[in-house]
């Protein structure tokens, strides 16, 4: 057997074990009895120990050394590229540092939840300081003398740099700030009001999942506190939640997670349980969830169809016609919370976090100054002051978990979705006529053929370029947003 | 760190991983999307490979060699005893034989299901022949020149021998055959008739689970094709099933699985994720499920309470009073199928299988003669002929899975339950008064204190002796059955 074949056989089991660990995570959020939490953390730790040992197994290094990538086809080269990245990444982190990060972030999550509940930033800062210091050490280990934040970005978006993000975000911020101000200067459409039965929401959510091409025979939809998608290949499960006063939360969370899940389900079976058998990056993943949720799910054409479905399911929903429903779905409103934001304002939330976390990692922003920096920046971009920490710098769990470099991939996903949407419109000229009938098959089929089925074959940027035929940049997204919300809010052209 | 501490730390992770593999099995039977089956078998195989490697890890052998059991307390000696048994057992089986058994039994299960559906014994015999030959080789490897069947028994009931089973079963068979004949000579009580809503059955099942002390905060009850209990420690899940014409199937399956689950939940927390942190044998496990289901759950006192619960849940169930309900619950009836049998006849089904599988393992019964041998023995014990293979030698999955030596533990469980029940009656004189109120706490508390909490501390026989104060034997079970069914069927005393 060749070194490549041996490596791939070994890696197959590693991928299978990673799927098992992932399914354990799904179980924890959906099925696990509450009294099992302590035992579960021992079980997860044992799985992580096994996976870590496999990722730095010296045989992997020997096989990698023995393989000449030039003798491989493009798929083989991509497999080796991904295995090498994981191997080298894992070997760079000293075991005791990894253990300390696991321990401190576990503690920090608990302290963050308490601090947020008590609106007590000061109670969170000491453990955040520990997390930041350890993540700086990790970043230095990964960076090998290069930029620490760039090194951390590679965990979520291989090939991306802070400089490239600066350029993208620099082009976006002034236009989004201006669009936001113009929109909020106009009268707002009404929010949805009324009571919406949770079971009916779940029935409609299941229907929407199928409408967007989610294969229920290789997945399932359950309720969880936070919506998520989990697993790769033939077992990709999603969750949503219900609020009886806000059915959009359930329905659009479902469409969002279906976007993630269809990416995983759509990957070529030839890559099953291999490094290429999963979404290539967080940003590309988010491009799928966002294009399903926003460019398709919140389009005028699709919301027209959804309006009929909602009236069939709930009866009168207090909205007179499709046009008003479209406006309500896309309502732009003030608010502090990123996850409750809209297409216009969402990326501003991300840029704020990107700038602050990068400054923290560089040592330019002491955690003691975080709250003030957050509040100043929020007021500058949004025009009003943060009223309490749970609406400000304590709103997201990410930093307590040690996720630095993750936030920007949310905005990158929107940028990528903009590019893909522009290309999709060109490829499927009658898309709106199909969406108006609740038919997403041409759109989701195009995404599957051009992006999803390739999994991790190409690096993130090339994945988008291959699918959209363009170098990824913010212009398509910005044009789309300015056109959509310009029309919705009857703005004068700039 | 001492060799013992290092061994126990290593074993802790092995036990945690075994729990993960078990939870994957639970997921497969309850939650897994049907299209995920192939991927799941790769995931399970990867887990098994990891577990197997840990069980024969040379470090385990070195630690075991370095430990002087005399320096340990009884708990430590028991831990080492269990780890040594697993280590030596696993090392005796050549890797290629284990792989062939896994492959052939996987194939055999599929062929068994098809053969059973087609009533085609001949289609199953070739693969059964393969299974038998491979299991004989495994048994020889385990036996080291000793008795092959005895060696296989150790996998399910450490310390048990075929000779001891012969003695127990030899005492039981004539008395059970006689009791059966006498009972069936009398008029039978009516079976339950009517339609019983499945959701109401599940609500009642949940109530019964709690009534028998099952801790829902460390477990959960779901539906599955075959009822089972899964997991140890703080995450012990059970399943049941519903038939809208037979609510007893759901309710008594639930009580049975609650017995298994309470054993696991009841084990001392000090043994969590250690070899002692699980039921010590299949037979002792079955003693718990059987005493919950039969000696408690099918007692006159408890069925009186259950009658009221069923009427509350379903309204009129077509049975006039508690006494008639008790008779219906304990109705003895002709039938071919082990799993649908009653307390009087169940053990006869087991003895048949024990004699036949032992003869197959010894090479005294060629698989080509299995059907004839089964049918002859069935007619001898039950008095009527097997009408089709799915009612005869094709009814059970066990042999196709390679489970030889497992069947007798079902009957052993009944024998052990008889001993425990006799001791329990002595310890809790007013048990019936409590059961008549639906209060099982004294009974389940006695079982937890005297048996369940000790987990794997003592070998199976000593576990029963410690709890019941007697050497396990069939007399208590036989006396109980003769008294109970003698009264129910107004038999003359022998």
């Amino acid at each position: 057997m060749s070194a490549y074949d041996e490596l791939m056989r070994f890696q197959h089991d590693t991928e299978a074990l990673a799927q098992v660990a992932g399914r354990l995570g799904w179980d924890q959020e959906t099925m696990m009895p509450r009294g099992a939490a302590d035992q579960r953390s021992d079980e997860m730790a044992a799985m992580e120990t096994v996976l870590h040992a496999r990722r730095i197994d010296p045989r992997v290094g020997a096989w990698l050394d023995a393989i000449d990538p030039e003798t491989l086809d493009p798929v083989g080269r991509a497999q080796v590229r991904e295995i090498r990245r994981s191997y080298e990444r894992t070997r760079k982190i000293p075991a005791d540092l990894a253990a300390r990060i696991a321990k401190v972030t576990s503690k920090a999550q608990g302290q963050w939840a308490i601090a947020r509940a008590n609106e007590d930033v000061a109670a969170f800062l000491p453990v955040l300081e520990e997390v930041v210091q350890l993540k700086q050490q990790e970043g230095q280990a990964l960076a090998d003398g290069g930029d620490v934040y760039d090194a951390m970005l590679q965990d979520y978006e291989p090939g991306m740099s802070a400089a490239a993000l600066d350029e993208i975000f620099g082009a976006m911020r002034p236009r989004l700030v201006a669009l936001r101000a113009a929109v909020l200067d106009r009268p707002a459409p009404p929010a949805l009001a009324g009571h919406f039965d949770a079971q009916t929401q779940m029935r409609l959510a299941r229907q929407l999942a199928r409408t967007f091409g989610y294969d229920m025979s290789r997945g399932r939809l359950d309720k969880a506190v936070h919506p998520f998608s989990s697993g790769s290949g033939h077992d990709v499960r999603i969750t949503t939640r219900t609020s009886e006063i806000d059915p959009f939360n359930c329905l659009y969370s479902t469409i969002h997670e279906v976007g993630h899940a269809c990416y995983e389900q759509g990957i070529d079976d030839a890559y099953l349980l291999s490094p290429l058998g999963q979404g290539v990056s967080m940003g590309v993943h988010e491009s799928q969830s966002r294009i399903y949720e926003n460019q398709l799910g919140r389009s005028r054409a699709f919301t027209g169809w959804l309006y009929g479905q909602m009236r069939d399911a709930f009866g009168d929903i207090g909205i007179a016609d499709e046009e008003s429903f479209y406006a309500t779905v896309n309502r732009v409103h003030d608010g502090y919370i990123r996850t409750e934001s809209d297409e216009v304002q969402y990326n501003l939330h991300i840029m704020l976090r990107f700038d602050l976390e990068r400054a923290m990692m560089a040592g330019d922003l002491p955690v003691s100054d975080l709250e003030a920096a957050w509040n100043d920046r929020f007021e500058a971009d949004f025009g009003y002051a943060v009223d309490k920490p749970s609406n400000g710098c304590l709103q997201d769990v990410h930093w307590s978990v040690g996720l630095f470099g993750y936030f920007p991939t949310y905005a990158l996903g929107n940028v990528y979705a903009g590019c893909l949407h522009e290309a999709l419109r060109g490829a499927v000229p009658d898309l709106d006529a199909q969406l108006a009938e609740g038919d997403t098959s041409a759109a989701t089929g195009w995404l599957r053929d051009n992006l999803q089925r390739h999994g991790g074959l190409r690096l993130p940027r090339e994945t988008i370029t291959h699918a959209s035929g363009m170098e990824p940049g913010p212009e398509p997204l910005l044009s789309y947003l300015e056109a959509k919300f310009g029309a919705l809010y009857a703005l004068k052209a700039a």
Side-chain angles (χ1 to χ4, degrees), chain A:
Chain A
M1 204 186 279
S2 73
Y4 177 77
D5 290 340
E6 288 196 77
L7 174 63
M8 289 307 292
R9 197 171 65 165
F10 182 86
Q11 189 67 23
H12 172 275
D13 274 15
T14 305
E15 301 288 340
L17 294 166
Q19 288 299 309
V20 172
R23 197 131 321 110
L24 219 52
W26 170 86
D27 183 87
Q28 189 162 332
E29 302 299 326
T30 55
M31 300 294 160
M32 187 183 83
R34 61 188 156 75
D38 284 351
Q39 179 172 333
R40 174 58 57 89
S41 80
D42 280 13
E43 293 168 6
M44 282 297 286
M47 284 299 293
E48 283 306 321
T49 302
V50 168
L51 281 165
H52 185 266
R54 295 183 71 92
R55 288 190 180 117
I56 58 162
D57 193 301
R59 288 172 294 175
V60 172
W63 286 319
L64 286 170
D65 287 346
I67 293 168
D68 175 6
E70 296 306 311
T71 64
L72 301 174
D73 66 6
V75 170
R77 284 201 295 276
Q79 300 281 22
V80 167
R81 176 198 80 214
E82 290 298 316
I83 296 170
R84 185 180 294 283
R85 191 158 59 82
S86 163
Y87 174 74
E88 291 178 351
R89 196 262 178 221
T90 312
R91 273 169 44 105
K92 281 179 185 165
I93 313 290
D96 66 324
L97 178 60
R100 276 158 66 211
I101 290 174
K103 200 167 167 182
V104 169
T105 54
S106 170
K107 180 177 70 172
Q109 274 180 78
Q111 296 197 2
W112 164 78
I114 295 166
R116 188 176 67 150
N118 295 338
E119 303 291 356
D120 185 357
V121 177
F124 178 54
L125 293 183
V127 74
L128 178 61
E129 175 69 37
E130 283 186 79
V131 173
V132 166
Q133 283 182 12
L134 291 170
K135 291 297 288 187
Q136 283 169 334
Q137 290 175 36
E138 185 191 67
Q140 283 151 9
L142 291 171
D144 269 340
D147 184 83
V148 167
Y149 190 79
D150 279 354
M152 311 190 91
L153 275 175
Q154 307 315 304
D155 281 354
Y156 313 107
E157 199 68 15
M160 184 49 63
S161 69
L165 287 170
D166 267 339
E167 195 182 322
I168 295 168
F169 293 167
M172 290 169 76
R173 188 173 165 204
R175 282 168 70 178
L176 291 176
V177 167
L179 178 62
R180 179 190 168 279
V183 162
L184 288 176
D185 203 36
R186 302 281 302 168
L192 202 61
H195 179 91
F196 301 85
D197 173 64
Q199 265 192 302
T200 310
Q201 288 187 40
M202 288 302 288
R203 203 168 59 236
L204 193 49
R206 263 171 240 286
Q207 184 196 339
L208 283 172
R210 280 187 290 262
T211 295
F212 276 92
Y214 180 59
D215 180 354
M216 285 280 184
S217 78
R218 299 187 296 156
R220 51 181 293 136
L221 172 63
D222 295 279
K223 280 205 211 185
V225 175
H226 300 289
F228 64 92
S229 168
S230 161
S232 296
H234 296 180
D235 195 347
V236 186
R237 307 180 184 188
I238 57 174
T239 64
T240 188
R241 59 184 164 195
T242 54
S243 150
E244 297 212 327
I245 59 167
D246 179 12
F248 290 152
N249 193 319
C250 171
L251 303 180
Y252 281 97
S253 291
T254 300
I255 300 175
H256 181 99
E257 300 308 332
V258 161
H260 285 301
C262 284
Y263 186 7
E264 296 293 337
Q265 286 188 333
I267 296 173
D268 197 318
D269 265 359
Y271 304 158
L272 194 66
L273 297 179
S274 85
L276 304 190
Q278 51 204 301
V280 72
S281 72
M282 303 310 297
V284 176
H285 238 300
E286 196 73 4
S287 78
Q288 301 305 289
S289 57
R290 290 298 181 171
I291 195 170
Y292 278 55
E293 177 190 358
N294 290 333
Q295 280 89 349
L296 301 175
R298 288 194 168 94
S299 65
R300 170 65 186 80
F302 187 80
T303 57
W305 176 81
L306 181 60
Y307 178 62
Q309 301 300 310
M310 286 196 65
R311 282 160 58 103
D312 288 351
F314 298 109
D316 178 19
I317 58 170
I319 290 183
D321 54 32
E322 290 183 8
E323 205 61 48
S324 310
F325 184 75
Y326 174 53
T328 293
V329 165
N330 286 288
R331 186 171 166 269
V332 178
H333 50 92
D334 280 344
Y336 302 103
I337 303 294
R338 173 183 63 84
T339 58
E340 296 170 2
S341 189
D342 46 70
E343 283 186 86
V344 172
Q345 300 178 92
Y346 187 88
N347 295 306
L348 293 171
H349 287 276
I350 295 304
M351 294 171 205
L352 179 161
R353 288 155 180 76
F354 166 64
D355 287 334
L356 297 187
E357 72 178 17
R358 198 174 155 201
M360 278 193 283
M361 277 301 117
D364 297 336
L365 175 64
V367 300
S368 55
D369 293 345
L370 171 65
E371 185 178 22
W374 180 293
N375 291 352
D376 288 351
R377 168 66 175 265
F378 187 87
E379 191 157 0
D381 279 2
F382 291 85
Y384 48 97
V386 172
D387 60 346
K388 54 187 178 183
S390 65
N391 277 337
C393 65
L394 290 185
Q395 71 179 267
D396 294 307
V397 72
H398 298 58
W399 292 332
S400 75
V401 190
L403 295 174
F404 290 84
Y406 188 112
F407 275 125
T409 67
Y410 291 126
L412 261 184
N414 286 322
V415 166
Y416 294 160
C419 301
L420 294 167
H421 179 236
E422 188 170 292
L424 169 64
R425 288 273 164 191
V428 186
D430 64 337
L431 181 61
D432 280 332
Q434 298 176 30
L435 294 177
E437 301 292 322
D439 178 2
T440 75
S441 59
T444 56
W446 185 88
L447 287 165
R448 190 170 53 249
D449 290 345
N450 290 283
L451 189 147
Q452 293 167 0
R453 73 183 172 88
H454 301 300
L457 181 61
R458 298 178 184 87
L459 287 169
R461 185 181 181 83
E462 287 82 62
T463 296
I464 300 300
T465 303
H466 174 84
S468 68
M470 67 184 83
E471 290 294 315
E475 191 51 44
L477 175 69
L478 293 167
S479 305
Y480 153 81
L481 290 174
E482 285 163 351
K484 175 176 179 175
F485 290 90
L488 261 167
Y489 283 83
L491 304 179
K492 292 190 202 76

